Amino acid sequence: MPGRPIADRAHPDGPGSGAPAQARAAVPAARTGRPAGPAAGGGAAGGAEHAADGADSAEQWYRRAAARGHRRAALHLGAILEKRGELKEAGRWYLTSAKDGEPRAACALGFLLRDAGDEESAAVWWLRAAQEGDGNAANALGALHAARGEYQTAERWYRQATDAGDVNGAYNLGLLFAAQGQTSKAEQWYRRAAYAGHREAANALAILLLQAGDTHGAEPWFSKAAEAGSVDAAFNLGILHAGRDDDRTALRWYERAAAAGHTEAALQVGIAKLREGDEQEAERHLRTAAGGGSAEAAFRLATVLDARQPVQGPPALGRRRRRRPSARSGTSGPPSRGTAAPRCASACSRPPAATWPAPPAGTARPPRRAAATAPSTSGCCSPGTATSARPPSGGRAPPAPATAAPRCASPCWPPGAANSRRAATGAPAPSSWGRPRSPSGRRGSVRRCTRSSRRRADLHAHASVP
């Protein structure tokens, strides 16, 4: 549907069933403030008020006439008050005029009630005005039934409005038939209203012809509607010329529609100004379109403003780039070169080995229970720590190489400490597996390990086992 049904509010000037809405005269606005009371007194009191106001006021004289029972004066006074926003007092004067038999006042009262949300009471006053021959009230009733889906009843009231001389009735009939898919009847009523000077009907007729592929037949009706003041027709003319690659003419019509408040036209003007390089005008039109609810205009305005932001280049000389925190150490940047590895004494749980006497070279491997309880030093001592291999069954263990001393970050026993102590005490050198020799040279029974020998074995395992 090109538009929605039109039902104008009652205009005090001109006949109620007469000319189109565009030809009706506007209500004269009050030039000064209204008097204090609704009824001005007699001639002397009126002259005093006139001298106090210092000027003639249409509202003042309408009020005097309405107070004396003039129904058309009450209608004019209600229209002035409604335009000023004093709806309650306007409704009171409309009601007074409608009860006196003025159909246009009943129609205007129906619009006030409809705007207040009371459609049932509005329909009562519209029906009363339509039965008295008001075409605008008939149009309002037709639009009310069309919104409810009662198309036959709406068509009947639209035809009654058309018969009463209201050109909006013909346009509304075109809208009704177009909504039902009856294109030929819609075109017929659009033409009737367009020839009568209805600008929106001319725009709707042009759209119908354009959809049928008649571009040359649509353009004159677009132009006629745009010249009559139709904003939608001006925007449609811009689209029509843009399709012909006539960008200059299209921009002219877009600017005309945008000046009248058309949101999509403002967006098209903004895009055209961006293409021309005029960012200031483009920003102004894009802001207007974005304020009207256009998401595309808001996006393009954001891109324009984002392009004005300074580009973040590389850091200047002498400034260090801030590094992200390392996930391993919690500090920023890689660790500095030459940092020392953690010392063995801080990683091990036992006291330093220098506090205990050195184990004899080549002593037996500690039992599995003692080795399991000893803390692991695989992460403490450096690679290359000497470990003793299990000798083959029935044989002796090979002598330990000279470089078998453990290399550890913490101070360990010196390699020759055990030999020097043994030489000082005169103790015999034990075998590599802890079995002392008998005087005859044969192996004797293995003695039980004391607490000190077990501790030495544990410490030796701690220093030698990786």
Side-chain angles (χ1 to χ4, degrees):
M1 289 175 62
R4 63 176 183 175
I6 294 179
D8 294 327
R9 293 179 179 272
H11 292 271
D13 296 318
S17 60
Q22 291 82 2
R24 293 176 179 172
V27 179
R31 290 190 291 269
T32 61
R34 63 184 180 88
E49 289 179 0
H50 173 71
D53 290 341
D56 265 340
S57 169
E59 179 186 352
Q60 173 189 352
W61 294 106
Y62 280 142
R63 193 177 293 275
R64 288 185 182 184
R68 296 176 182 179
H70 198 288
R71 64 182 188 182
R72 292 186 62 188
L75 172 64
H76 280 265
L77 180 60
I80 292 175
L81 294 173
E82 182 185 1
K83 182 180 294 185
R84 201 160 60 200
E86 302 177 13
L87 301 182
K88 290 185 178 181
E89 189 176 358
R92 287 197 297 267
W93 287 112
Y94 282 151
L95 181 61
T96 301
S97 180
K99 287 181 177 180
D100 291 341
E102 180 61 42
R104 290 172 293 173
C107 182
L109 181 60
F111 280 111
L112 283 183
L113 292 172
R114 192 273 312 270
D115 294 343
D118 191 359
E119 287 189 353
E120 299 300 328
S121 299
V124 172
W125 288 104
W126 284 337
L127 179 61
R128 181 173 178 176
Q131 289 174 349
E132 294 181 5
D134 189 87
N136 198 24
N139 265 321
L141 281 174
L144 184 64
H145 288 286
R148 296 174 179 176
E150 304 169 357
Y151 295 129
Q152 293 183 353
T153 308
E155 180 181 352
R156 179 169 60 87
W157 284 112
Y158 285 152
R159 289 183 180 273
Q160 181 173 340
T162 305
D163 295 339
D166 195 329
V167 69
N168 289 328
Y171 172 63
N172 291 336
L173 277 172
L175 292 177
L176 186 65
F177 287 123
Q180 298 176 6
Q182 304 180 26
T183 309
S184 58
K185 288 185 177 181
E187 180 181 351
Q188 173 187 352
W189 287 105
Y190 283 153
R191 285 186 182 274
R192 181 171 177 176
Y195 279 120
H198 199 289
R199 60 190 183 188
E200 298 302 329
N203 180 57
L205 177 60
I207 292 176
L208 207 62
L209 294 175
L210 191 63
Q211 291 175 349
D214 189 3
T215 307
H216 296 287
E219 185 176 358
W221 287 110
F222 275 140
S223 300
K224 185 177 181 179
E227 294 298 336
S230 174
V231 181
D232 292 334
F235 176 70
N236 292 334
L237 273 175
I239 295 177
L240 189 65
H241 287 283
R244 299 173 181 174
D245 293 334
D246 189 0
D247 295 336
R248 181 172 299 180
T249 308
L251 180 59
R252 181 168 58 86
W253 286 109
Y254 284 149
E255 289 177 341
R256 183 170 178 175
H262 199 283
T263 300
E264 295 299 325
L267 171 61
Q268 296 300 325
V269 174
I271 294 175
K273 294 299 181 181
L274 279 179
R275 194 180 300 115
E276 294 175 359
D278 191 355
E279 289 191 1
Q280 185 175 1
E281 284 295 316
E283 180 182 352
R284 183 173 67 86
H285 285 92
L286 288 176
R287 286 186 183 275
T288 302
S294 174
E296 182 66 21
F299 170 73
R300 292 182 179 269
L301 176 62
T303 56
V304 170
L305 298 178
D306 192 22
R308 296 177 182 175
Q309 299 296 328
V311 180
Q312 297 293 337
L317 295 178
R319 295 182 59 185
R320 298 181 60 185
R321 187 187 297 273
R322 186 177 181 182
R323 298 181 180 274
R324 298 177 58 183
S326 174
R328 181 173 301 177
S329 60
T331 58
S332 61
S336 59
R337 297 182 179 179
T339 53
R343 295 181 61 86
C344 180
S346 61
C348 300
S349 59
R350 292 184 178 272
T355 59
W356 302 98
T363 55
R365 181 185 294 272
R368 292 184 179 274
R369 180 178 60 82
T373 58
S376 174
T377 57
S378 58
C380 173
C381 298
S382 60
T385 303
T387 56
S388 58
R390 184 179 298 275
S393 59
R396 294 186 179 182
T403 59
R407 293 176 295 174
C408 182
S410 64
C412 299
W413 296 338
N419 295 332
S420 60
R421 181 180 179 185
R422 200 179 305 116
T425 58
S431 64
S432 58
W433 295 103
R435 293 185 179 183
R437 295 178 180 270
S438 62
S440 59
R442 297 180 181 180
R443 294 183 180 271
S445 61
V446 180
R447 62 178 180 178
R448 297 187 176 215
C449 296
T450 60
R451 182 180 300 176
S452 60
S453 62
R454 187 182 302 115
R455 184 174 300 173
R456 284 196 296 270
D458 292 345
L459 290 176
H460 183 66
H462 170 66
S464 61
V465 176

